[in-house]
Amino acid sequence: MKLSSSPYCRQSLCPILAALSFLGLLPVYKASYHEYGEALSKCILFFEGQRSGFLPQDQRMSWRGHSGLGDGWMVKTDLTGGYYDAGDNVKFGFPMAFTTTMLAWSVIEFGGYMPPAELRNALVAIKWSTDYLLKTVSQPNRIFVQVGDPILDHNCWERPEDMDTARTVYTVDAPNPASDVAAETAAALAASSIAFRSSDSGYADKLLGTATRVFDFADTYRGAYSDNANIRDGVCPFYCDFDGYQDELLWGAAWLRRASQGDSYLSYIQNNGKTLGADDNINEFGWDNKHAGLNVLVSKEVLEGSTYSLQSYKASADSFMCTLIPESSYSHIEYSPGGLIYKPGGSNLQHATTIAFLLLVYANYLEKSSQTVNCGSVSASPAMLRAIAKRQVDYILGDNPKGMSYMVGYSYVFPQRIHHRGSSLPSVKDHPQFIACTEGSIYFNSSSPNPNVLVGAVVGGPGEDDAYEDDRVAFRQSEPTTYINAPFVGALAYFVANPS
C-alpha cells in the first residue's frame, strides 16, 4: 500500500510523504511506528558485543567475556582493546578507524539530538576504539595495522574468549607506506577530538596532537598499506586498499582542518585536490573510499563560511546528492524494488547507512545556509534529502517487503542466525568449558537461532531483489559489521528528535 494514499498519513508525516511522492519511483510501505530512541540505544549497545580486551564491570552485553588479553605481546607492545570488525575475531585497523570516524561524526553532527545517556554511551563507544588506536601509533614512524591472522581465524568457528589462533601483529615501519590506514586513523582521532572537546579537553588535546603526527607519517611516506609485501597476505582480500590511498590523505587533512582550524590543512585541501583525485569516484563512501563523505565534510566551509576556494568539493557533493534522486536527470544510484539503495558487492546495508547519514548531514548544512541543490529539472531541498534518508532508515527497521527489521533485537521479526561467532556459540557464562577451533562447526551448521542476541547489530541485509536469507552461511547478508552501525548511530539520532 502506498502510504501517501492511505489513512496512515498522519498530519505530522505528510511533508515527508509529499517529498517521497515527488520522488515517485520509491515505494513506500505501510508505515510502522518506529521507536527511534530504542533503535538508537540498541545501535550503540551493539559495539559492546564487538569489544576486544578486558571488559569493564559495567559491560551490558553480559554474555561476552574478556578476550585478546595477550594482543601485542609478539611486538612487546600493549595492543589490547579495540573492536572485532564483524563476525570474526580479527582486529582490522582500516575499518576500525573508519568506524571510529563515523561514530565521532555522528556525535559531532547529531549528538545534540541524543538523550544524555545515549550521548554518554556513544562517547564510551568512541573511546573504546580511540584508546586502542592511540596504542597502534604510539611509536614514531610505525603503525600497527592489524592483530590476528585472518586465514587461521576464518578457518575456525570459535568464541573470542577461546581463540587460540595466531595473534599475528601486522606492522608498517617507515619508509614503507601506510597512507590509507594512517590517514584514516588521523581522521578518526581528529574527529574524536571534536566529539570529546566539551567533556574532556585533555583527552581531546591528546587525540588531536597524535592525529597531527600520524597524518605527517601518512603524507610523508605515500602509498597503500596493502602494497607492502610483508602484510599483503594478511590484509588482502579482506580489507585490501582497492581504491587507492589518496582519498584518505584528503579526508585526514579535512578532519584536521575541522578539528584544529589550521590554515595549513585548508591549504592542503585546496592545493592537493586535483593531484590526489578529489574529483574521482565521487559517488562512493565507505571504509575504502572516502570521496562522497570528504565532499560533504568540506562543503560545510563553503556553505557556512563562504570559502569559495573549496567550491569544487561542494560541486561534487551536489552532484552526489543528485544521483540519489530517481526523478533527477542525474540519477545514478540503483534502488531495489522495495526502495533500498543498492550497490553490488555484498553487505549492502553499509551503503544504505552511510548514504542516509550523508543525506542528513548535507541537509543540515543546506538548511543553515538557506540553500537547495540544483539537479536539473529537480530542486533538491533539505526536506527531500531527509525524506530519502528516512526511507532507508525505515526500510532497515522493518518497512520493507519482508516486514523484517535488519537490526537484531529491534521489533518482533529480526535475523536469528547471524554470521557471528560469539553470538552463535554458547556463552562462556553458560558453557565455561573450552570450545576448540573445529568444535564450533556444529553450531555454525545448526539451524537453531543464535543463543546470544547481539542486540543492535545491523546485518549486511538484502540486495537488489529485497530477498534475505536468515542463514549463517550467507555471510554477505547475515554478517553485521561495525561500519554498518557507526553511521546509523547518527541517522537514528536525527530521527529521535525529528521522527516525522
Side-chain angles (χ1 to χ4, degrees), residues 42 45-51 55-67 84 86-89 157-162 408-409 416 418-432 435 450-457 480:
K42 291 178 174 179
L45 177 60
F46 157 75
F47 289 94
E48 294 193 16
Q50 298 302 110
R51 284 173 169 173
L55 303 185
Q57 288 187 338
D58 60 357
Q59 166 83 10
R60 295 176 294 165
M61 202 77 80
S62 59
W63 51 266
R64 279 295 322 280
H66 311 311
S67 64
Y84 304 118
D88 53 23
N89 302 322
W157 196 256
E158 198 169 32
R159 298 178 298 198
E161 296 83 0
D162 287 335
V408 174
Q416 302 287 324
I418 66 173
H419 183 97
H420 191 278
R421 286 158 176 76
S423 172
S424 65
L425 289 151
S427 167
V428 290
K429 308 295 173 65
D430 299 327
H431 188 290
I435 301 175
N450 288 8
N452 309 306
V453 180
L454 186 61
V455 175

Side-chain angles (χ1 to χ4, degrees), residues 16-36:
I16 288 289
L17 296 173
L20 283 169
S21 177
F22 179 71
L23 296 179
L25 299 180
L26 298 186
V28 183
Y29 290 87
K30 178 178 176 180
S32 305
Y33 172 74
H34 288 301
E35 289 283 358
Y36 295 112

Side-chain angles (χ1 to χ4, degrees), residues 33-44 106 109-119 360 386 389-390 393-394 397 407 410 487-500:
Y33 172 74
H34 288 301
E35 289 283 358
Y36 295 112
E38 176 192 345
L40 172 65
S41 177
K42 291 178 174 179
C43 193
I44 298 170
S106 292
E109 301 292 349
F110 305 115
Y113 299 139
M114 298 179 185
E118 295 312 328
L119 177 57
L360 294 169
R386 288 167 179 147
K390 189 174 191 296
V393 170
D394 289 352
L397 295 181
M407 174 183 281
Y410 179 84
F488 206 44
V489 169
L492 288 168
Y494 175 81
F495 289 114
V496 166
N498 303 277
S500 58

